[in-house]
Amino acid sequence: MEMTLNNVTGKTPELSTPLSDLDAKILITGSASNPILNLDPIKMKVGTSDLAIKAIIAGIEAPNLKLEITSNRFNVDELMGTQSAAQAAQSSGTAGSESVEVVNTAPLDETLDKMAPDLEKSLENPMFNKIRADVKILARSMRMLEGEFKNARLNLNYASRVLSINNT
């Protein structure tokens, strides 16, 4: 089965910034017992970030995820709700070029404190013992933890409840 999405825009209470310009090709192959979901590519804008995502998710019993995210501007602080849209526009140099909704954002530690109970509960799921994930992030400019990183390259690997992060 193949599905194509073009120019999708949306906003939900969970997203602190709206999603726009989403284009995606989704292909489902394999069998009922071992499906393969191929997302190649998904392109979108979320706030001041532009993202291109390629992903392959295989299996149900022991899911294996391969994910590659590339971006010219990847604002993790804004996506996590620790930076307002106005601050994001100012840091990306787009302030004044368009109207920006000002949002009151919490510091990172407050945001993580709010997320912690739900995160802890979800991590109790025994499925996390079986999941394997390889994630590659390539960003020309990345804003994270109030720092700016140029030409960021990160590899994240998750298996047996262990996450390793390497800067390449």
Side-chain angles (χ1 to χ4, degrees):
M1 179 176 89
E2 183 175 316
M3 181 172 33
T4 302
L5 303 172
N6 289 309
N7 203 25
V8 175
T9 300
K11 185 173 184 175
T12 70
E14 293 79 19
L15 285 176
S16 60
T17 54
L19 173 90
S20 66
D21 303 331
L22 181 128
D23 295 320
K25 181 179 173 186
I26 303 165
L27 181 63
I28 301 172
T29 60
S31 63
S33 61
N34 190 25
I36 299 170
L37 178 65
N38 189 339
L39 310 171
D40 187 12
I42 296 177
K43 295 179 181 180
M44 70 184 94
K45 293 180 183 174
V46 183
T48 59
S49 297
D50 64 86
L51 305 169
I53 300 169
K54 292 182 182 182
I56 297 175
I57 305 166
I60 292 177
E61 293 296 319
N64 188 1
L65 167 69
K66 290 186 185 234
L67 179 69
E68 182 176 306
I69 302 170
T70 57
S71 176
N72 289 311
R73 173 85 180 142
F74 192 8
N75 192 332
V76 178
D77 288 345
E78 180 187 25
L79 296 176
M80 290 196 57
T82 60
Q83 179 184 31
S84 72
Q87 290 168 320
Q90 187 174 23
S91 70
S92 70
T94 60
S97 64
E98 56 188 59
S99 66
V100 177
E101 179 183 345
V102 177
V103 178
N104 185 18
T105 58
L108 181 60
D109 55 349
E110 271 184 47
T111 302
L112 294 177
D113 284 346
K114 285 181 185 176
M115 292 171 55
D118 291 334
L119 184 58
E120 282 183 44
K121 186 175 181 179
S122 65
L123 289 174
E124 292 172 4
N125 186 328
M127 181 63 84
F128 280 99
N129 295 330
K130 300 176 183 179
I131 293 173
R132 291 187 45 81
D134 295 306
V135 179
K136 183 185 288 187
I137 301 172
L138 306 167
R140 285 192 183 156
S141 174
M142 179 184 283
R143 179 167 179 81
M144 182 169 61
L145 303 174
E146 298 183 4
E148 287 285 339
F149 303 91
K150 300 294 180 196
N151 298 315
R153 295 177 169 276
L154 297 171
N155 289 316
L156 295 84
N157 303 95
Y158 178 86
S160 302
R161 293 189 174 264
V162 175
L163 175 67
S164 62
I165 301 173
N166 299 307
N167 181 10
T168 59

